[in-house]
Amino acid sequence: MGMTMIEKILKNHTKDEVAPGKIIWLDLDVRSARDFGGASVVKNLREHFPGGKLADSAKTFFTFDCVVPANTIAYAENQQTCRDYAAEQGIRLYDVDAGIGSHVMIEEGIAIPGATVVGTDSHLNIMGALGAFGQGMGDVDIAFAFKTGRTWFEVPRSMKIVLKGTYQYPATAKDLILFIIGKLGASGGLGYSVELYGPAIERMTLAERITVASMGTEMGTITFLMEPGDEILEYSRKRSGKAHIERISADADAHYDKVLELDVAGLAPQIALPPKPSKVSAVAEVSGKKINSVFIGSCTNGTYDDIRLAAEILKGGKVAPGVMAKVVPATKEVYGRMLSEGLLETFFSSGVIVSNPGCGGCASGQIGMTGKGEVQISTSNRNFAGKQGSGDTYLASPVTAAWCALKGEICAPGVKPVAAR
Amino acid sequence: METTVKGRVWKICDAGGRLIDDIDTDQIFHNAHLAITDIGKMGAHAFGNLEGWKDFPSKAKPGDILMVGGNFGAGSSRQHAVDCFASLGTGLIIAESYGAIYERNAINSGFPILACPGVKELAIKNGDSIEVDLRTGKMRNMTEGRDLGQARPFSGVQMDIYRAGNLFDYARGM
């Protein structure tokens, strides 16, 4: 019997038999903690393994991304706890200026195709964009991973989703993944490792794959895996300095518990209504609703490509009166490109607030929270009640979000906004 | 470690009396309190963002058993969403199914959870006392004196970690 992608990746990191439902001990290439969860990881390590060394400091990282820089004393203290521990153990720490941990790890070549990566970020399965295993875990798990370099894992069942047809701009990768989650539901992939195939996936850039993979958690999946193309392998070789990175592909006779086909030809821009990422409809069906706020950023849509798409629409226009539009780049590298390629000027002139890199409002962070009654269009991954404040959050693509910012209401991209030019 | 749990049942239902599905980690433990690292202080925020259940910490008693719908604990990796119930002394959670990260977090910290497909059909009233055998998954309504059927028993690794106390103590014995 052949193996699926997840089975092959796990097989390369364990001595145990790999089959769905089996518990294996998994060697971890990368383990990380961030500013939320990190202090508890340190607390667990100090309490349960006092004075001990970690399995391998060179594979262990802190990445701060939730509340950066700290805007509460409690967060400042938690971050300092991590800094002290990092210095003590000789661990690399990406501080409050660096950006979202998962993105930093991809940019720095710490996470590469085929790797096993765990951390306290529940969207760490974003690594599926590289064809790698990424997994968010709690404080106990990650403390154990720091100490031992491994963890137990139940080999997940695999599902294959084959996308038929292709779609065109203004539909984007975000619209595609919202469409899939809307079709399958919030628990449609519960416990599965889902592999995505089809021409719509094959032509995707790394940034687009990141958008797709980052929302696997919202369908209950362990991970969304996409086989990396040459472009992604080359990117990771360059970033990591590793000349040989293996491309992990599923065997032709691999077993999938479920195989689904979805037709995405002519996909229209999608939007998730509050309070669930799975409550999806076409943007056109809810157009006309007044908005107060727009947030463009997060691990789902905070790459340079995402932000450039929004800038192209906003260039020369003005954000509608009464709308607070906010852009948060995922990383310092993205921020630097915004500066060197003129995007900061575009946003400034359009009346958009640009903050330093980070997660934005997803964890009550530095920017993007709503007040009661406020309606926000967000490019992030979750619109759970209360998550981004007490208002109503709608999830959409950067393209849709930028059009909505100009018009001051929910509108499908491509409809010329009243306030533009 | 005792592998039979007895306690009073809280059915976490919506206004229509149905067990709620997809209760996410933000509803269980809101992100406004994530900087808390002391488990003793987490119980006060349990279900603090779940409509109709925000006063749960003042009503819950140690040993209580929670019954919830499917995909319980979807979303974030925050350990707080498990630890807040440990903080209240909650004896057991029985859900139709769990978010994958939530399930791991509970297992690794030695907090007892059971998956029970069909939990919504069980003949239990709010406040009934039940007895659950974690090894076999058998459940009995003590108030009404009748068997309730079967939850999934603890998995091997779950029982090993539970008996050890948590993942750290389990690993010491390996």
Side-chain angles (χ1 to χ4, degrees):
Chain A
M1 176 66 76
M3 292 186 133
T4 64
M5 280 182 78
I6 190 75
E7 289 160 6
K8 282 198 174 176
I9 295 169
L10 299 181
K11 180 78 187 156
N12 288 343
H13 292 84
T14 186
K15 294 187 183 73
D16 299 327
E17 184 200 348
V18 172
K22 294 267 184 201
I23 303 289
I24 59 169
W25 281 94
L26 185 66
D27 293 327
L28 303 166
D29 295 321
V30 183
R31 38 270 185 182
S32 71
R34 54 186 191 166
D35 46 339
F36 120 55
S40 294
V41 170
V42 171
K43 193 175 175 180
N44 276 317
L45 285 164
R46 289 206 160 122
E47 190 181 325
H48 294 280
F49 307 106
K53 279 282 170 199
L54 303 182
D56 189 344
S57 297
K59 293 180 173 178
T60 311
F61 303 88
F62 285 101
T63 59
F64 291 168
D65 50 22
C66 284
V67 184
V68 287
N71 59 14
T72 66
I73 294 169
Y75 258 102
E77 286 178 346
N78 284 356
Q79 289 171 358
Q80 196 56 26
T81 297
C82 296
R83 289 188 193 102
D84 290 345
Y85 190 77
E88 191 182 305
Q89 292 281 345
I91 298 170
R92 178 78 193 263
L93 182 145
Y94 290 89
D95 218 311
V96 293
D97 61 329
I100 302 173
S102 56
H103 285 239
V104 169
M105 286 193 274
I106 292 171
E107 283 177 357
E108 296 279 310
I110 294 166
I112 59 172
T116 53
V117 184
V118 300
T120 58
D121 176 358
S122 63
H123 289 100
L124 215 63
N125 50 13
I126 209 169
M127 301 307 171
L130 295 170
F133 170 84
Q135 203 62 197
M137 293 179 174
D139 314 342
V140 172
D141 242 326
I142 296 302
F144 184 81
F146 271 33
K147 180 64 188 175
T148 67
R150 53 191 211 135
T151 192
W152 66 272
F153 206 77
E154 182 180 334
V155 179
R157 295 170 294 163
S158 288
M159 184 194 300
K160 185 178 193 175
I161 299 180
V162 182
L163 304 176
K164 298 283 183 192
T166 56
Y167 58 86
Q168 301 299 324
Y169 181 90
T172 65
K174 181 60 164 289
D175 302 294
L176 175 81
I177 192 58
L178 286 174
F179 174 75
I180 293 173
I181 293 170
K183 283 281 176 216
L184 273 71
S187 55
L190 201 59
Y192 281 98
S193 170
V194 179
E195 293 177 20
L196 295 161
Y197 293 96
I201 298 292
E202 284 159 21
R203 68 176 189 172
M204 277 187 181
T205 62
L206 176 58
E208 290 171 315
R209 288 166 191 242
I210 283 173
T211 298
V212 172
S214 75
M215 295 201 65
T217 319
E218 274 45 78
M219 213 174 80
T221 65
I222 298 295
T223 180
F224 277 138
L225 282 171
M226 286 155 273
E227 185 183 314
D230 292 341
E231 189 189 329
I232 289 167
L233 287 167
E234 192 48 42
Y235 173 93
S236 287
R237 284 185 195 115
K238 206 166 134 190
R239 294 293 175 127
S240 67
K242 292 186 168 83
H244 303 289
I245 296 177
E246 193 189 344
R247 185 200 318 264
I248 308 285
S249 311
D251 290 326
D253 59 345
H255 173 75
Y256 296 90
D257 268 34
K258 275 189 191 172
V259 180
L260 300 177
E261 282 188 5
L262 286 175
D263 188 358
V264 297
L267 180 75
Q270 306 283 303
I271 191 164
L273 316 185
K276 289 188 178 183
S278 56
K279 213 176 158 190
V280 176
S281 81
V283 181
E285 286 171 26
V286 289
S287 63
K289 186 172 185 62
K290 290 282 173 206
I291 62 163
N292 309 97
S293 179
V294 173
F295 170 78
I296 296 169
S298 87
C299 61
T300 298
N301 279 123
T303 65
Y304 180 77
D305 292 0
D306 291 316
I307 290 171
R308 183 181 47 78
L309 280 178
E312 282 171 3
I313 294 156
L314 287 158
K315 196 173 174 68
K318 293 276 182 208
V319 170
V323 173
M324 298 167 280
K326 295 153 274 190
V327 167
V328 182
T331 65
K332 187 170 183 173
E333 181 175 314
V334 175
Y335 197 24
R337 281 189 74 187
M338 288 167 65
L339 179 63
S340 63
E341 298 185 29
L343 269 57
L344 286 178
E345 167 69 29
T346 298
F347 288 126
F348 178 82
S349 302
S350 306
V352 175
I353 301 158
V354 179
S355 103
N356 60 304
C359 291
C362 279
S364 287
Q366 79 260 42
I367 197 168
M369 305 305 287
T370 57
K372 199 167 175 61
E374 192 178 325
V375 175
Q376 170 158 271
I377 307 293
S378 171
T379 66
S380 70
N381 40 53
R382 286 185 187 145
N383 53 355
F384 298 157
K387 183 166 179 68
Q388 293 181 49
S390 34
D392 287 336
T393 298
Y394 292 70
L395 305 179
S397 76
V399 174
T400 301
W403 280 100
C404 294
L406 290 175
K407 194 163 185 191
E409 60 185 41
I410 295 177
C411 65
V415 179
K416 193 175 170 63
V418 175
R421 297 185 180 88
Chain B
M1 182 64 78
E2 185 60 56
T3 53
T4 301
V5 176
K6 294 176 196 168
R8 174 181 68 149
V9 168
W10 283 99
K11 296 175 76 173
I12 309 300
C13 293
D14 59 20
R18 289 175 296 270
L19 290 181
I20 308 170
D21 289 324
D22 303 324
I23 297 177
D24 60 73
T25 47
D26 267 280
Q27 291 173 287
I28 300 170
F29 195 94
H30 193 257
N31 59 21
H33 310 295
L34 290 182
I36 299 173
T37 56
D38 179 354
I39 291 177
K41 292 180 179 163
M42 293 179 190
H45 304 292
F47 286 144
N49 190 36
L50 180 61
E51 215 45 61
W53 290 93
K54 293 179 181 176
D55 60 349
F56 180 73
S58 64
K59 299 190 297 194
K61 290 198 168 59
D64 285 350
I65 293 174
L66 303 190
M67 283 195 173
V68 290
N71 198 21
F72 184 69
S76 162
S77 57
R78 67 194 63 167
Q79 191 84 38
H80 309 68
V82 172
D83 289 349
C84 64
F85 296 118
S87 177
L88 291 173
T90 303
L92 174 68
I93 298 176
I94 304 174
E96 190 169 59
S97 60
Y98 296 90
I101 305 174
Y102 192 89
E103 194 164 10
R104 281 189 70 89
N105 286 348
I107 292 171
N108 284 334
S109 61
F111 183 82
I113 59 167
L114 277 178
C116 178
V119 68
K120 288 170 181 164
E121 283 78 48
L122 293 180
I124 291 175
K125 295 190 302 298
N126 230 352
D128 283 357
S129 287
I130 65 167
E131 183 178 277
V132 183
D133 186 332
L134 305 177
R135 290 168 306 176
T136 62
K138 283 194 176 137
M139 301 176 289
R140 184 169 171 79
N141 188 331
M142 305 297 281
T143 305
E144 297 193 353
R146 60 169 158 170
D147 288 339
L148 286 169
Q150 191 81 29
R152 278 194 204 124
F154 267 24
S155 66
V157 68
Q158 186 176 15
M159 185 56 86
D160 291 346
I161 294 171
Y162 179 69
R163 283 205 161 117
N166 56 45
L167 183 61
F168 305 122
D169 292 333
Y170 168 68
R172 260 185 214 102
M174 283 169 68

